[in-house]
Amino acid sequence: MKTECIGDYVKLKGETYPCTVSMTMDLVGGKWKAVILYHLKDEAKRYNELRKEMPSVTEMTLSLL
């Protein structure tokens, strides 16, 4: 477990994290999730809009997220 933050430990579903940043990265982690969240940060978008903005992600990957 990385200790990138100093503070109170956070427990969630039997896991202990050194901070909320570690917990968030574990929950949101994955190759494409952060990229998708970046594209959705300002407004909701339809599937085809995301496909156009992220041409390198496969259709299967995007549909599973």
Side-chain angles (χ1 to χ4, degrees), residues 1 9-19 22-23 26-27:
M1 175 175 6
Y9 284 85
V10 179
K11 292 184 179 183
L12 178 71
K13 297 182 182 179
E15 294 286 329
T16 303
Y17 301 94
C19 66
S22 295
M23 179 182 67
D26 191 32
L27 295 172

Side-chain angles (χ1 to χ4, degrees), residues 41-58:
K41 70 180 172 48
D42 294 326
E43 62 184 349
K45 296 183 180 173
R46 295 181 173 271
Y47 176 85
N48 285 331
E49 293 174 306
L50 286 173
R51 287 283 300 137
K52 289 176 186 175
E53 291 185 13
M54 299 182 302
S56 57
V57 66
T58 65

Side-chain angles (χ1 to χ4, degrees), residues 27-39:
L27 295 172
V28 176
K31 183 176 180 180
W32 292 107
K33 290 179 185 175
V35 176
I36 292 169
L37 289 173
Y38 170 79
H39 287 284

